[in-house]
Amino acid sequence: MSSSPSSSYEVPHPHHLWMFDVFLSYHDKYIGKSFALDLSSALTQAGYAVYINNHDLTSGEQRNSAAIKACRTSIIIFSSKFDGSTWFLEEMEKILECRRTIKQVFVPVFYDVDPSDVLKQKGVFGEAFVDCIARGILTEDSSIRYRDALFEAANISGFRMMDTRSQYNEINDIVQGFCHLIEDQKSLFIAEHPVGVEARVKDVIQLLNSEQAENTMIVGIWGMAGVGKTIIAKATYNQMSFTFDCKSILKNVNETCKSGDDGLVSFQRQLLLDICKTTKIHIDTVESGKKILQRSLCHKKVFLVLDGVNKLEQLNALCGDRDWFGHGSRIVITTSDKHILRNLQLDHVYRMKYMDNTESLKLFSWHAFRTPSPKESYADLCRDVVEYCGGLPVALEILGSYLFDRSVQEWKIALQKFKTILPYQIEKKLRKNLDVLDHDNQDVFLKIATLFIGMHKDDVIQTLNYSGHFPEIAISILEDKSLLTIDGNNRIGMHTLLRAMGREIIRQQSMDMAATKMYDVFLSFRGEDCRAKFISHLYISLQNSGLYVFKDDDGIQRGDQISVALIQAVGQSKISIVVLSKNFANSKWCMTELERIVEISRTKGMVLVPVFYEVDPSEVRHQTGEFGKAFECLLSTKSVDEYTKRNWKAALHEVGSIAGVVILKSSDESEDIKKIVDLVTHLLDKTELFVADHPVGLESRVRDVIQLLSRQKSKDPQLLGIWGMGGIGKTTLAKAVYNKIRHDFDAKSFLFNVRDVWKVDDDKVSLQQRLLFDICKTTKIKIDSVESGKKILQERLCSKKIFLVIDDVNKLDQLNALCGDRKWFGKGSRILITTRDDDLLSRLEVDHVYRMKEMDSSESLELFNWHAFKQSTSREGFTNISRDVVKYSGGLPLALQVIGSFLSTKKIKAEWKDVLEKLKLIPNNEVLEKLRISFDGLSDDDVKDIFLDIAFFFIGMDREDVTKILQDCGHFSVIGISVLVQQSLVTVDRKNKIGMHDLLRDMGREIVRKISKDADKEPSRLWHYEDVHKLPIDTSSLAVKGLSLKMSRMDSTTYLETKAFEKMDKLRFLQLVGIQLNGDYKYLSRHLRWLSWHGFPLKYIPADFHQDTLVAVVLKYSNLERVWRKSQFLVKLKILNLSHSHNLRHTPDFSKLPNLEKLILKDCPSLSSVSSNIGHLKKILLINLKDCTGLRELPRSIYKLDSLKTLILSGCTKIDKLEEDIEQMKSLTTLVADDTAITRVPFAVVRSKSIAFISLCGYKGSARRVFPSIIQSWLSPTNNILSLVQTSAGTLCRDFIDEQNNSFYCLSSILEDLQNTQRLWVKCDSQAQLNQTVASILYSFNTQNCEGFSNIETSASNFRRTQVCISSSKNSVTSLLIEMGVSCDVANILRENILQVISFSCPYSQTQHSLYFLYTSQTSTQTHLKFDAHVKVSIY
């Protein structure tokens, strides 16, 4: 019967005319905006929905136009300086139009401006307005129209604010006056779908009219939270209040009065304003307010609604006595506490009725389907929801809205979950009345909710008396608070959702204790039947199995009523064993106990194991036979009402239907007991660890870990590590895996939080003792020391297939003590270790490491939503800011949970924005503490310093670059970065870029900030512009190690004086973005190692800048034309990056940079040449000239760089060739030259022995894959391979020609050196010579069968030319490319024999051979040619 307003901008629905209370408009961005935001905040706190325009938006007039129409009122703030905003003037016209057409209320506020100045456009306001016309911002025609609108607006009565110094008080006066203004002109909004309201309102009005009209009447509306009391009161107010002299409705009294007397005084002031229409009478205290109200109201016929009252002092302050009010007045009070109504001596109390099934289905359908009836396919599910909600409107609305637009399957999943866990929004609503009770009364409520529903009130009181409570008083209070009911038969009842809330509270309270309940087994029995011969043996056997057993005769006094202590013992047990003997059902104690056990089994998930001792299960189920007679005897001799009888029968039927242990005429009692013990120990294994309330994204990760655990097929024990940063969910994942596969093992153990437990010496042994107990189920073996524990564990575990989880390990000693060696464990064992330290896993030599993945954006948003909104989707209007929080959290589950839970109590978007901005500066302490564990665990201060340097300056940079920079600062950066990676504090991706989680970065910054604050000195590293200006000016030296100032592109250029750097003589790292320095550069530190200046403004680096110590210079997007006007000798410089310097025309003198390793000149289009002295760079590793579109050629000296590993020329569109000299670059492994003018691949590139990756002329990939394709392209009919093959300097080329005697002895000497031969050209003039030459060459490539060549018989006259090109790697033939002339017998036979030789030579070789045969012509015009055969072999 209630509704939440929509945030849509469409025209309002007829049933919901207004979507916002206020449209707030202003025109002065500098003065009016600040005031507007303060006023908006005050109106929001007063309970009004405010839409404020935003001059930064560019979405156009249509959006604001629709928003204006959707608002009940509009407020325009006129300030002294008009800024020429046509948007504002158009809004004003629209507002005035809505005032005329849809009766919208319009309120002008004159902030620091006289209304007459606006009316006549004079004074400062008028001058600014005229100036806008003069400058053409306003046309002459439009200015006339706008003048008329300003005249109309200024003539309307509003608020004038001339004293801006008392802005706070003025805003309060505006809000109060505004409240009075609009409350008088509106009917209260009731509900979007007021189902069932009309009939209930009639009932209330009937009560209000039941006495003579001149009498003052007070009527209370009483009922549980969420039943719709406020809606009925507002509907009654709308129908009756207009007939009274004056009226007032005070909403949500209790919530507002939580601040104490101030809240009550504010309500008294509001009531006085509503009734007397004045703010001149001041109320200072509650007591003075009572007197003033009594004097002011007594002559008026008042209609007053006091909504949400729960304390008597609230009523005393607002309607202390009916004599306060004039004749005929009517006062309506809504409350969930009948006690305060009783004290006020009301005329009538209207008890709210729950909605019937028809009403419930209709209201639910409106919210779930936006229609009054459900979709046919959802009908049965809708009935289930309606039954679950029990006629409570708030539950129907919440669940309907949640299920809107979801599939049938999603409904089923949600309903199943709702039956287990009460939705948070419903629980929050229902808990309001419970939370105000003291602890004892809350405890009684929880006991009744979970144990005593349906029982006679007297029986419950008698039972609860044992627990030390005062149950009679507590039950009376709970009834008054609408938390339970007492029916005509004196039986206790409770709304189903209140019961569900009680169970949920119990579940939450016991969640942390779920893994460590007090008892393993609760043993229930009828002593007279079986104690002596059976129970004692069973009890001892259970204890000997390592189980902690509660026996229900242990020190508990017997009687007809069971004690609370016994019920608590049941609730604190994992399993209940009920021994059902012949006379069990003849005991009221036993039957009451059984009823409670069955109830707890249903509500808390406790396992129930029935033992049918000399009783058939069907006799229990149907209460027949001897068992049934005993039950009938109980019912006939004891006073048992029908309700209890029905519950008992249901309990017996339920327990009789459970598969338990049946003992009938047994001759072997010990075997029977063994069955029970085995069953119980097996069932205890089904007690799962609690994983997470919302296990988002967990399933796929569990699957991945289990796959790793199953990968090894051998039966040897296997170790697997789960590695990741703090808060990423390692323990959660380990628990989920444990729950999933623990049943596959003989024994299992989960050792939690080893890091913290290990800190205490005694607890080291306790971990070993715990492991021993979990695996061997015994406490008889005592471990005295860690060393003795190792021996005991090794002896006891080696014969069992074990699943062991060791959680949060941070020292090798821990692993040595708990899983010292694989030999400790039996075949098939699996040990899972969670840690932040990858090095520990390496030293333990685990089989696999699962590296935790951060949550993706979808998973992150869902998890955050569950904690912030208690649902899987964001609240309407909060989606974008939720995504901002998710982005900040960086997929870290801990941060998403903590921040989400913190924001769940913040209902205003502005509060969220403040929280998010604060978090960016100062991280959440709970998250920080978790993350800082790894940092504090770093024993080496050098490593800590490296972490902080990376957090501030080097995220996203190449690992090798960072290593070099930090090394030159005296850090041991190679090992330091490795340690940080092992500890999950730093990441290195496939491109060798250093990364760090945003929250770890923020943690680093917070550590530096806190150290600085505690030491009361400047931070060692600066990253805020404000921090620079806060530095002391009277200090001779500042201990600032690094400075990073990054200004947004949206900001104007920021200027700093170089003089400010004079005291920073320890500065090592300087990073500037959007900054310009004024002054002499000599003031910059002489110890800089790294200079990164995005947008360097000068044409060259000043000579007075000390650069001797620089290791890396990064001046991207600079204005440089040349690097230095006069060359600098920089012996330490290893990295020079001038990318995107569009004015750069000259490269530096490389002879002055002897140790340069990286030269990056990407996107320097004005660069037309590279200095020829680049050949002096003897240590250069990388040259990147990508997109240097003005570059025409490379200097020949560049090919002398035998240290160069990577050459990038892509996008250099004017470079049209690479010289054959490129094969001199012996270290070149990567050549990228795509999108250039180069049209063919030089033969020297293919011949290169070092190139591993190439991207050139459309070929891209590893050389091994690409080179054969390049060679094949040369062998096309249009190409002559001989013309492509050129002899180059440095190539070993052998020519062998013997045309006289067909001798081959000289060939052998060549073949001996074949492994060093790159190109071999052999000219033969006979068939025999051709055959033997080819055979010899193939044999030299380790072929074993060349006999086929000796039998070639063919006419040489048809064989014109054959070329054989063999591409190999390390003398292993991988590609054989053959160019032949006419397809003739010689050629065909040669082809077949080569194939045969290759096939037989390496029949088991793993090398894939690519064989290509190409005939350059299909026919021969010459029939008689001199034999001229050519064989060419090239080895690569």
Side-chain angles (χ1 to χ4, degrees), residues 534-547:
F534 182 77
I535 295 298
S536 60
H537 294 166
L538 176 59
Y539 178 68
I540 292 169
S541 296
L542 289 167
Q543 282 190 317
N544 288 340
S545 296
L547 304 178

Side-chain angles (χ1 to χ4, degrees), residues 279-315:
T279 58
K280 295 180 179 179
I281 305 174
H282 293 288
I283 298 175
D284 299 318
T285 65
V286 173
E287 291 305 316
S288 66
K290 290 180 183 179
K291 295 176 182 178
I292 293 170
L293 287 175
Q294 187 174 5
R295 287 197 307 267
S296 303
L297 305 183
C298 62
H299 301 297
K300 298 180 182 290
K301 182 182 177 184
V302 176
F303 192 88
L304 172 63
V305 175
L306 301 178
D307 172 54
V309 178
N310 80 336
K311 291 184 179 179
L312 195 58
E313 55 262 34
Q314 297 164 2
L315 291 179

Side-chain angles (χ1 to χ4, degrees), residues 25 81 184 259 333 405 547 590 643 704 718 750 752 837 884 944 998 1020 1040 1044 1103 1161 1314 1333 1383 1410:
S25 178
K81 185 170 177 59
D184 273 354
S259 59
I333 301 165
D405 206 25
L547 304 178
C590 290
Y643 183 86
D704 292 343
Q718 187 178 162
F750 197 118
F752 287 95
D837 189 348
D884 290 341
K944 289 183 178 180
D998 288 350
S1020 62
V1040 178
S1044 175
L1161 303 175
L1314 191 60
T1333 300
S1383 177
S1410 301

Side-chain angles (χ1 to χ4, degrees), residues 1138-1139 1144 1147 1159-1164 1167 1184-1186 1188:
L1138 307 176
S1139 297
L1144 185 68
T1147 57
L1159 176 65
I1160 305 172
L1161 303 175
K1162 289 196 303 183
D1163 184 28
C1164 296
L1167 189 66
N1184 188 342
L1185 300 172
K1186 181 180 180 182
C1188 290

